Every structure is written in C-alpha cells, then in structure tokens.
Amino acid sequence: MDAITQPPVIRLHPEDGVVIARQVLPPGTPVAPNVVAATRIPAGHKVAVRFHAEGEPVTRYGQIIGFTTEPVSPGQWVHTHNLAMGDFARDYAWGVDARPTDYVAEPATFQGIRRPDGRVATRNYIGILTSVNCSAHVADLIAQAFRRNPLTGEDPLAEWPNVDGVVALTHKTGCGMTQGEPLNLLRRTLGGFARHANFSHVIGIGLGCEVNQIGGLLEEQRLAGRLRSMDIQEMGGSRKTVQAGIDFVREVVAEANRVTRETVPASELCVALQCGGSDGYSGITANPALGAASDLVVRHGGTVILSESPETYGAEHLFTRRAVSQEVGQKLVDVMHWWEDYTSKLGAEMDANPSPGNKLGGLTTILEKSLGAMAKAGSTNLVDVVRYAEAVTQRGFVFMDTPGYDPVAATGQVAGGANLLCFTTGRGSVFGCKPTPSIKLATNTPMYERMVDDMDINCGTIVTGEETVQQVGERIFQHMLRTASGERTKSEEFDFGGAEFAPWPMGATM
C-alpha cells in the first residue's frame, strides 16, 4: 500500500479519546469526523478527538494512560501540559484470559552449539568476570590481548575461528556495599554469567580484600569447576595477574574452538525482550511486532523474558489476566507493590520513569509507556515471575523483576539464561550485550534510515501500511533464527556488549 494513501492519524482502539499522529500534522489537518488539529501536532504524539473535562481519564489502546489537568477540546494536542498520572482501580481477574498454548506441529530449527550439559549456545565466548571494580582494569588488559585491531586487521584469535571473542565484564561495585540482598543479588548476577551457555570457559578476577570475596561467590553460586579464579594480591600484583589471565585464555582457547554448530529446535531459544529510547510509535510498530515474534517463539516451544518492572507499572492487571495461576499473578502484583514502596522511600514517583527522549517522542506518562512496552510479550500465558538475575527454568512467557534502565535490565535477563536479545527503539539505542547477541528493531523509518549502521530491522513499514504487525513479527522471528545460528548483528559488528554489563547496584554504598 502506498504510504501517501494512509490517513494522517492512527486510531488504536475504537473507544480511545485520542489518536496518534502518523506524521507531523499542520493546524487544520482532519483527525476525525468534524475534528481538525487545532495546533501543530508532532509525529507520534496524541491529539484529542473528543472533549475531555478536567480530571477525566484519557484512554489509548482502550486503557487509561492518565487524567486531564484542564479541559481538553477536540483537536488539541494532548501531552505533559494537560495530561498527568492518577490512581485508578485495577481488575486483576486472575487467569481469565489464559488459554492452552497453540504449539506448532513441526518446530523451526537453528544452528546452535550444544554444550556437554545439554544446554544450547548461540555464541561461543571466553569470559572474564570481576568480583569488584578494583580488578576491572586487569580484566580489561587480559581481554585486550585477544582483541582484533580494527586499524591493522591483526586478529589474535584468527587461528581459532569458532571462538567469538574474549570479553571482560566489569562493574563498579563488589565492595563498600552492604551484606544481604545487595551482595546476594551481585553474586546471583555473576553466577548467572559464569554459568551462561554462551561462555565456553570463564575466569574470575578479584583483588583479594573486597566484600565480594571470590571464595564466597564460588561457594554460594556453586561455581567450583566452572569458574577459574585469581586474586591480584595473592598473585603478586597486576602484571603477574594479567599474564596469568592471558596464559589461561591460551590454555583453553583450543578446547573452546572445538565446537560445531548443529541443528537444534527453536525451543532452545531464550529471548530477552527489551525497549529503550521509546517513542510514540513503539507501542504501534516495533513492540507489537516483537510481541508477534514472541508468540511464535513460545508456540515453537521456546521462552521469552519480559522485564523492566517500572515500565510495566499500570499494565500489570493485563498480565495477571494471562497468568497460569493466581499464585503467578500475585507474584507480579507483589513486584509492583515493592516498587511503589521502593520509590516512595527514595522520595521518587513511578511516573518519573519516562525520559526526556521518551516525552519528546510522544510518550507522556508511565501508564502510556507501560501499555506500549508490554506489547513485546505478545499474547501467550504468563507462566512465571522471577527475581532479578534468577535462572529462568519455565518455558513460555516469563516476567523478571528488574529496573527500567536498559543495561541493568538486560544484564539481569542474560544472567537468567537469555541466549538472544531483541531491543526495540524509537529514538535510536545502540545497545549490545555480550555474550548474548542483541537485535535492534527500529520503530520508525526515518530513524532506521538515519541510523542504519546500528539498526537490524525496520518496523516503520507498519506505520506506512507496507506490512502488517504479523508480517513484521514473522520477519523478526526468522531474523532470530539466523542470529542464533551465528549471523552477526549490527551491535556485534561494532563490538558493542562488553562495557554495557551493569548489575543492579541495590543498597547503600558504604
């Protein structure tokens, strides 16, 4: 369908009091029968199609996204100047929309790496983890010894083509922190990465006197035999530790190279669902298209992980309706209540989440952002709710409690076992996430064309009418299979993914 024939606005639900500008709307543009834009409406933003009294709820997707702070006439721009958060009753209706999964008769396949323990990897890295920020530079120096030089083309790993790289995952914590949940959460995250199927071998580098002792990490996470460890103080300093780390990689790289890809079912996919730099199109194009792809992953027997709890706030009652049990649904509600209490103690509000970029792109409240973000999870049953960085063991749609900040959320998902990541963006995120490949989905064509070196898939064709949500979802699913089989993503081509490792820094810094 020719984009010129498309109407200037998008109506998402017949009962909505607002429609979305398909492109910039000059004053006088028709937006509904007998309604024209009263002012210039930016692309992706909302325009009222009926009168709203002050304090009246405004709906998008057929759901409440906020309440008017002044009377709003038909044709007016609806945004932060006249729309704000407000509380409303949520009907959790436990499990009323849960349905048996319609599994496909013959699941799709991809070329994966089957590990000795039966798990399937999509990449084959050697990992260097750090117990504390004090060992970060030493870990980086070890990884640098095996990094390809983009200027000369020299590749220290050229002899071992089946090894995707040596990556150091460093962080800013590990000491000066409180015992209890903050330390347990860090160790759970590091343990998840140490066990990740996309690592063939892993070494842990510590300083020696930190709170997060490597011995405690090994014991608590049961990593004996999986994680080779070194303390800089015991090794005799930085230089000796760097050399020992380089020797370790040289010792194991030939073994790591002895892998072959084989045909495995798509049920081995565990896909992290992320969005960042969202805009007014996110809930119309890339997120629902990823949701269609997520439904395909689940129907083929695989797993998808949705997270970012603050960006699900206000939409959780739609997930509880899809929960396989009241117990699962209640776990999600408990997560939201924890976040309400957490932000209150910090003197913050849940509606502080939409960033300036989100608002510039057309999103006004966290309710609106959440309703668009949840579309990434498609329509299948919610089978489990897990803690941050906790291992995901159920197949199907799983929710993981994480902050909304993308690097922290994705780090938790990968620690939980995600071997693939799909990231929707409207403003243009360039996120990578080693050892898990990150597929970038653009919500709109102008941004995709402007940042084509960073975007893998353009979902803006939904806005122009060239494709349907389902067609783009199928395209995303096929791209998942190719990426899981070894096809490199744009972020991998640019070597993103090491610096983005970001465990949740919970608790006080002492």
Side-chain angles (χ1 to χ4, degrees):
M1 184 183 295
D2 193 324
I4 296 177
T5 66
Q6 295 298 299
V9 295
I10 302 168
R11 178 178 282 277
L12 299 173
H13 191 278
E15 297 181 5
D16 284 350
V18 294
V19 293
I20 314 303
R22 196 182 295 272
Q23 62 269 327
V24 174
L25 304 180
T29 303
V31 296
N34 301 315
V35 179
V36 299
T39 59
R40 178 185 180 276
I41 309 296
H45 283 242
K46 299 174 290 296
V47 55
V49 293
R50 65 171 180 80
F51 176 77
H52 292 75
E54 181 178 348
E56 185 176 345
V58 175
T59 60
R60 174 176 175 166
Y61 312 107
Q63 300 290 328
I64 294 172
I65 62 170
F67 297 81
T68 55
T69 57
E70 61 184 46
V72 176
S73 299
Q76 277 192 278
W77 179 30
V78 177
H79 199 35
T80 54
H81 59 286
N82 56 14
L83 182 67
M85 277 279 285
D87 199 15
F88 62 97
R90 295 163 173 79
D91 180 8
Y92 296 127
W94 315 106
V96 297
D97 293 332
R99 299 289 184 273
T101 301
D102 181 21
Y103 293 107
V104 299
E106 296 184 16
T109 61
F110 66 95
Q111 298 299 300
I113 300 168
R114 181 76 70 176
R115 298 298 189 190
D117 62 5
R119 294 180 304 156
V120 171
T122 61
R123 292 295 183 269
N124 187 39
Y125 281 96
I126 295 171
I128 307 169
L129 301 178
T130 55
S131 65
V132 65
N133 178 246
C134 306
S135 56
H137 185 58
V138 166
D140 280 332
L141 289 174
I142 297 169
Q144 285 176 25
F146 299 93
R147 192 166 296 154
R148 182 180 180 274
N149 188 318
L151 298 178
T152 66
E154 180 183 0
D155 186 0
L157 294 176
E159 186 180 343
W160 301 281
N162 294 328
V163 177
D164 289 301
V166 178
V167 57
L169 299 176
T170 65
H171 55 95
K172 301 300 182 184
T173 183
C175 203
M177 63 189 306
T178 55
Q179 301 280 344
E181 181 58 14
L183 180 60
N184 294 339
L185 185 148
L186 175 60
R187 287 179 170 175
R188 192 161 68 236
T189 304
L190 293 172
F193 273 79
R195 287 186 292 270
H196 201 283
N198 284 2
F199 281 134
S200 64
H201 300 80
V202 187
I203 183 172
I205 306 293
L207 177 61
C209 57
E210 62 270 23
V211 170
N212 183 30
Q213 290 284 300
I214 287 189
L217 171 65
L218 290 170
E219 180 179 359
E220 182 179 309
Q221 291 296 313
R222 301 178 181 177
L223 296 174
R226 174 62 177 169
L227 181 71
R228 182 88 64 92
S229 62
M230 300 177 187
D231 279 335
I232 295 170
Q233 293 167 351
E234 291 185 8
M235 297 296 295
S238 302
R239 186 179 299 276
K240 293 175 183 176
T241 309
V242 170
Q243 187 58 57
I246 291 173
D247 291 343
F248 165 80
V249 175
R250 288 173 176 164
E251 173 190 334
V252 302
V253 67
E255 179 183 351
N257 191 62
R258 288 195 293 270
V259 297
T260 56
R261 289 186 178 269
E262 61 183 72
T263 302
V264 297
S267 58
E268 298 293 350
L269 290 177
C270 184
V271 184
L273 310 175
Q274 276 293 321
C275 59
S278 300
D279 66 357
Y281 296 118
S282 295
I284 301 172
T285 62
N287 288 353
L290 180 53
S294 295
D295 284 349
L296 289 173
V297 171
V298 173
R299 291 187 61 222
H300 284 257
T303 302
V304 296
I305 309 172
L306 183 70
S307 64
E308 300 178 295
S309 305
E311 297 182 15
T312 307
Y313 182 76
E316 69 274 12
H317 60 292
L318 302 179
F319 283 144
T320 60
R321 302 174 72 91
R322 290 160 49 186
V324 294
S325 68
Q326 181 171 345
E327 178 185 8
V328 169
Q330 186 63 56
K331 284 165 60 174
L332 180 60
V333 173
D334 290 343
V335 163
M336 298 305 162
H337 288 163
W338 183 92
W339 276 94
E340 288 177 330
D341 183 61
Y342 178 62
T343 52
S344 176
K345 287 178 179 178
L346 295 176
E349 297 179 355
M350 295 297 288
D351 197 41
N353 177 278
S355 69
N358 295 152
K359 293 178 179 179
L360 189 63
L363 297 176
T364 306
T365 68
I366 186 55
L367 300 177
E368 181 180 16
K369 187 176 182 181
S370 294
L371 288 165
M374 68 169 288
K376 301 192 300 292
S379 61
T380 60
N381 296 342
L382 174 64
V383 300
D384 202 4
V385 176
V386 299
R387 298 175 300 166
Y388 183 87
E390 187 175 5
V392 173
T393 58
Q394 299 291 324
R395 293 185 185 269
F397 161 39
V398 175
F399 187 89
M400 176 181 285
D401 177 26
T402 77
Y405 184 39
D406 312 323
V408 176
T411 295
Q413 291 172 314
V414 174
N419 56 15
L420 199 64
L421 187 145
C422 286
F423 195 116
T424 70
T425 181
R427 307 297 294 173
S429 173
V430 296
F431 184 77
C433 196
K434 291 178 181 178
T436 293
S438 173
I439 301 171
K440 238 33 123 303
L441 287 71
T443 71
N444 62 89
T445 300
M447 187 275 287
Y448 173 81
E449 293 177 344
R450 187 173 65 252
M451 300 183 63
V452 68
D453 292 331
D454 295 286
M455 298 297 118
D456 295 286
I457 296 175
N458 179 25
C459 302
T461 52
I462 296 171
V463 174
T464 59
E466 298 166 72
E467 291 181 287
T468 66
V469 166
Q470 294 299 323
Q471 287 172 328
V472 177
E474 176 64 34
R475 212 159 34 89
I476 295 169
F477 179 66
Q478 294 301 324
H479 199 103
M480 288 181 184
L481 297 174
R482 295 196 305 273
T483 300
S485 298
E487 182 179 302
R488 289 165 65 85
T489 65
K490 294 292 182 65
S491 66
E492 288 180 296
E493 292 289 349
F494 214 64
D495 203 31
F496 276 100
E500 289 76 12
F501 177 71
W504 187 357
M506 183 182 285
T509 300
M510 307 298 288

